[in-house]
């Protein structure tokens, strides 16, 4: 039943895998892998009504026969090493909807049994609160179905995302270790703009933590101070990435959101999908707000402006406190919090970059966002009225808590 990644098609393997198959056919550097096709999910879900709360508990995992096939395929692509297990849903990574971060990913998985469990986890995440909320806001969404992509894990020294723009312009963001730090909004990454052969603006991020493969799964650890204080890519590496990005965009006939990783001196392409909403225009934002009382500045993440009461959310226990029209103030742009995007008037975060999953979804949904506002959860009192300008990166405190 399994499909070699090189043979993946949208109908059987979903959008993510089908695009990687095109990149492989063009000779671009993509880690080897295979796909558990949509037919396997449909067989497991047959006769189940998964739309009810808690019903997904009844969803079985891969059959023993399929698990055995997974074990044999793992030997071929890793020789016993670790893999990344990710969704490749029908309707995901399209020109109108990315579903960025809405389905689960499992990194550093090893062995047929663990991979089978991760496959079931990807199937179940199709019915997570955040994925269901995302589909409800997409009137063009069809019936959900999901394939699962299994690829050899790249033990990355540096990972990140690049957006290819119109012409030869690109935007890159990167941090140390696996790409979860950047796409999950866990750090404020280093960033670069590239135009033609010239590396333009460089902005040093904070990069306080990194994610790496551990003995089982992945581990998060502190970044050494010296590595926080230097860029994680050289200009030569940025130029090589930009060239691969342009080749990818040319092959796929449009602007692309591309995830990549570097190990040693080798670049790997991990994902490419159409850009569904343009980045905010680059704004001349001051580096601090000294001299302007009650104003903080950050990275313009999603255009538009809104005024509302600040609602400081430190974890899922605070979700029930969010009311329609609140300004969501949090440490990270965690995709698991996407259901709150249906209530919030705007989003302010302490970490994260323009190319993180939640920033992408905010732009898709037209929700103003300002990222990397230092100490936002401490400086914006819960309930205080704030104004968020996602075009300039300005967050103004207008009134005290009521």
């Amino acid at each position: 039943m399994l499909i070699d990644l090189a043979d993946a098609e949208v109908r059987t393997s979903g959008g993510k895998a089908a695009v990687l198959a095109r990149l492989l056919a063009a000779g671009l550097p993509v880690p080897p892998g295979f796909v558990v096709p949509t037919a396997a999910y449909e067989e497991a879900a047959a006769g189940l009504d998964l739309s009810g709360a808690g019903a997904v508990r009844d969803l079985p995992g891969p059959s023993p026969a399929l698990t055995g096939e997974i074990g044999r395929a793992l030997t071929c692509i890793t020789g016993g090493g670790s893999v990344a297990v990710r969704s490749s849903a029908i309707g995901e990574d399209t020109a109108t909807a990315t579903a960025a971060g809405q389905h689960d990913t499992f990194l550093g998985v090893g062995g047929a049994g663990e991979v089978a469990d991760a496959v079931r986890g990807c199937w179940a995440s199709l019915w997570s609160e955040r994925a269901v909320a995302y589909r409800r806001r997409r009137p063009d969404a069809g019936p959900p179905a999901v394939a699962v992509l299994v690829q050899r894990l790249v033990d990355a020294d540096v990972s990140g995302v690049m957006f290819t723009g119109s012409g030869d312009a690109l935007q890159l963001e990167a941090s140390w270790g696996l790409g979860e730090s950047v796409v999950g909004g866990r750090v404020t990454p280093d960033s670069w703009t590239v135009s033609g052969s010239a590396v333009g603006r460089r902005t040093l991020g904070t990069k306080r933590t990194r994610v790496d493969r551990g003995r089982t799964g992945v581990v998060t650890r502190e970044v050494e101070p010296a590595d926080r204080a230097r860029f994680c890519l050289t200009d030569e590496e940025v130029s090589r990435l930009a060239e691969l990005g342009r080749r990818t965009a040319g092959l796929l006939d449009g602007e692309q959101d591309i995830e990549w990783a570097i190990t040693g001196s080798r670049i790997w392409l991990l994902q490419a999908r159409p850009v569904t909403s343009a980045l905010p225009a680059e704004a001349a934002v001051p580096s601090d707000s000294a001299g302007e009382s009650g104003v903080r500045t950050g990275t313009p993440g999603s255009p538009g402006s809104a005024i509302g009461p600040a609602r400081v959310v430190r974890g899922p226990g605070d979700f029930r406190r969010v009311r329609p029209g609140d300004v969501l103030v949090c440490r990270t742009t965690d995709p698991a919090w996407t259901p709150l995007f249906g209530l919030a008037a705007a989003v302010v975060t302490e970490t994260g970059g323009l190319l993180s999953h939640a920033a992408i979804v905010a732009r898709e949904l037209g929700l103003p966002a300002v990222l990397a506002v230092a100490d936002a959860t401490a400086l914006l009192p819960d309930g205080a009225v704030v104004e968020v300008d996602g075009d300039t990166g300005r967050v103004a405190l207008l009134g005290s808590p009521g």
Side-chain angles (χ1 to χ4, degrees):
M1 175 178 275
L2 300 181
I3 298 172
D4 189 276
L5 179 56
D7 299 322
E9 299 176 349
V10 172
R11 178 180 56 83
T12 60
S13 306
K16 184 183 281 112
V19 167
L20 290 177
R22 291 184 63 185
L23 300 185
L24 275 170
L28 295 179
V30 174
F34 60 87
V35 179
V36 181
T38 55
Y41 165 77
E42 291 164 354
E43 180 179 314
L48 297 177
D49 179 5
L50 299 174
S51 59
V56 77
R57 289 193 298 258
D58 297 327
L59 180 67
S63 67
L66 181 55
T67 300
E69 191 176 350
I70 287 172
R72 292 186 290 275
L74 287 173
T75 301
C76 294
I77 68 168
T78 71
S82 297
V83 293
V85 182
R86 299 184 290 159
S87 72
S88 182
I90 302 298
E92 184 178 15
D93 295 343
T94 70
T96 59
T98 63
Q102 301 311 300
H103 305 126
D104 287 346
T105 290
F106 301 87
L107 302 176
V109 183
E114 288 187 12
V115 172
D117 288 343
V119 168
R120 186 200 176 276
C122 289
W123 290 348
S125 71
L126 194 66
W127 297 99
S128 67
E129 184 180 0
R130 69 179 184 267
V132 171
Y134 180 86
R135 289 198 297 272
R136 284 175 179 161
R137 299 195 64 166
R138 308 287 322 180
D140 56 341
V146 64
V148 178
L149 172 61
V150 180
Q151 283 181 285
R152 188 175 68 202
L153 182 69
V154 175
D155 282 324
D157 300 314
V158 181
S159 300
V161 185
M162 58 180 156
F163 267 34
T164 66
S166 57
D168 56 5
L170 292 99
Q171 174 88 28
L172 288 92
E173 292 184 345
S175 191
W176 303 110
L178 299 176
E180 185 64 20
S181 294
V182 177
V183 300
R186 299 185 183 188
V187 300
T188 300
D190 298 340
S191 64
W192 297 259
T193 58
V194 182
S195 181
S197 60
V199 178
R201 179 184 57 81
R202 304 168 182 82
T203 302
L204 188 68
T206 52
K207 311 187 299 293
R208 290 192 177 97
T209 61
R210 60 182 289 162
V211 177
D212 294 289
R213 179 173 61 86
R215 294 183 64 183
T216 58
V218 296
V219 295
T220 301
R221 63 186 193 216
E222 294 291 316
V223 172
E224 295 293 331
D227 286 335
R228 298 182 196 179
R230 69 184 179 95
F231 285 98
C232 59
L233 293 174
T234 66
D235 281 2
E236 187 269 339
E237 288 171 326
V238 170
S239 295
R240 288 171 58 206
L241 282 162
E243 177 59 28
L244 272 176
R246 294 188 184 106
R247 287 179 61 190
T248 300
L251 176 68
L252 301 178
D253 299 320
E255 299 175 14
Q256 297 293 309
D257 164 7
I258 302 166
E259 295 180 23
W260 51 267
I262 297 177
T263 179
S265 61
R266 187 166 188 181
I267 298 173
W268 293 95
L269 300 180
L270 308 180
Q271 180 171 297
R273 58 188 169 207
V275 172
T276 55
S277 51
L279 297 176
E282 188 172 348
V285 180
S287 59
D288 59 52
S289 54
E292 192 173 2
S293 178
V295 175
R296 298 290 180 263
T297 56
T299 301
S302 179
S305 62
I307 297 175
R311 192 61 60 216
V312 177
V313 175
R314 303 184 188 279
D318 292 329
F319 284 9
R320 56 186 171 79
R321 299 176 51 246
V322 180
R323 297 290 181 266
D326 284 351
V327 171
L328 179 62
V329 181
C330 53
R331 193 183 72 82
T332 71
T333 53
D334 189 334
W337 297 11
T338 303
L340 301 182
F341 286 14
L343 298 173
V347 178
V348 177
T349 75
E350 293 183 342
T351 66
L354 279 171
L355 311 185
S356 65
H357 283 160
I360 293 169
V361 172
R363 289 192 292 272
E364 282 187 13
L365 300 180
L367 187 67
V370 178
L371 315 173
V373 179
D375 300 320
T377 59
L379 298 174
L380 299 176
D382 193 84
V385 178
V386 297
E387 180 179 19
V388 178
D389 189 332
D391 293 291
T392 66
R394 185 176 184 272
V395 180
L397 184 62
L398 301 182
S400 301

